[in-house]
């Protein structure tokens, strides 16, 4: 008799992804409506709301590649999202941290894909800085991808081998 391995509560993690996507899209729409064509708004001494149309990847990588990067990054985001959906579906119930990380990366990749398909660029609006040193602008989707990647690293290096 073959024993089936337990599966995650797939819809629960997809719900997390959907919630993050909604927050990402609402904040980007607010940035689009209030920041486009405006000077940056200083929120804290280290934080600004600003308008950036990112046509490249993380930190504007390949933003001046002549337009082909739109198709490349859109296709890449769609493939990564599909891969993560399958990985999430096959995830064991004991791998909660892994599932959280995957759900957050899925949300970020999908949120930025929506922008690429809708605008042909990604809306970035959060700018961190210290004095005259600026970190590249980012958005909620980018933040979600970063946290998801950190969770995957923690899961891989700290929890691998301690599961069932």
């Amino acid at each position: 008799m073959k024993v089936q391995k337990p599966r995650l509560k797939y819809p629960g993690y997809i719900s997390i992804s959907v919630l993050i996507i909604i927050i990402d899209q609402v904040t980007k729409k607010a940035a689009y409506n209030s920041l486009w064509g405006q000077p940056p708004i200083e929120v804290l001494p280290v934080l600004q709301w600003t308008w950036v149309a990112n046509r490249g990847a993380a930190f504007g990588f390949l933003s001046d590649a002549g337009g082909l990067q739109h198709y490349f990054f859109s296709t890449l985001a769609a493939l990564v999202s599909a891969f993560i959906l399958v990985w999430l579906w096959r995830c064991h119930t004991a791998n909660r941290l892994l599932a959280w990380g995957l759900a957050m990366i899925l949300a970020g990749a999908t949120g930025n894909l929506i922008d690429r398909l809708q605008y042909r660029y990604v809306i970035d609006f959060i700018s961190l800085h210290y004095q005259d040193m600026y970190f590249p602008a980012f958005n909620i989707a980018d933040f979600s991808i970063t946290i998801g990647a950190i969770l995957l690293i923690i899961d891989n290096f700290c929890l691998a081998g301690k599961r069932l």
Side-chain angles (χ1 to χ4, degrees):
M1 182 172 167
K2 187 176 179 182
V3 177
Q4 290 212 328
K5 79 176 188 180
R7 301 285 185 191
L8 283 174
K9 301 277 187 214
Y10 185 74
Y13 288 96
I14 294 302
S15 298
I16 292 163
S17 293
V18 169
L19 178 63
I20 294 169
I21 292 167
I22 290 169
I23 292 167
D24 174 63
Q25 291 299 301
V26 166
T27 56
K28 287 176 180 174
K29 190 67 168 175
Y32 183 88
N33 291 334
S34 62
L35 297 172
W36 186 79
Q38 301 298 319
I41 298 169
E42 194 79 22
V43 179
L44 296 170
V46 295
L47 173 68
Q48 291 179 338
W49 299 145
T50 190
W51 170 259
V52 177
N54 183 355
R55 296 183 190 285
F59 314 121
F61 176 69
L62 293 178
S63 61
D64 56 355
L68 289 178
Q69 74 275 20
H70 164 73
Y71 300 104
F72 174 74
F73 291 127
S74 296
T75 302
L76 183 63
L79 291 173
V80 166
S81 296
F83 176 77
I84 289 174
L85 273 172
V86 171
W87 192 1
L88 190 57
W89 180 254
R90 294 177 175 214
C91 219
H92 190 278
T93 54
N95 300 351
R96 293 179 197 262
L97 194 61
L98 174 66
W100 272 97
L102 292 173
M104 294 188 79
I105 293 171
L106 176 63
T110 304
N112 284 341
L113 176 61
I114 291 168
D115 281 16
R116 289 188 193 285
L117 296 176
Q118 185 173 3
Y119 305 112
R120 296 186 61 88
Y121 56 82
V122 173
I123 297 171
D124 290 333
F125 62 92
I126 303 168
S127 177
L128 296 175
H129 63 92
Y130 176 73
Q131 297 176 355
D132 290 335
M133 297 179 295
Y134 286 81
F135 187 78
F138 60 98
N139 57 45
I140 302 298
D142 298 334
F143 182 73
S144 182
I145 291 169
T146 302
I147 297 301
I150 290 168
L151 293 176
L152 291 185
I153 291 167
I154 292 169
D155 178 75
N156 188 54
F157 288 109
C158 298
L159 300 178
K162 295 182 181 179
R163 295 194 189 97
L164 299 173

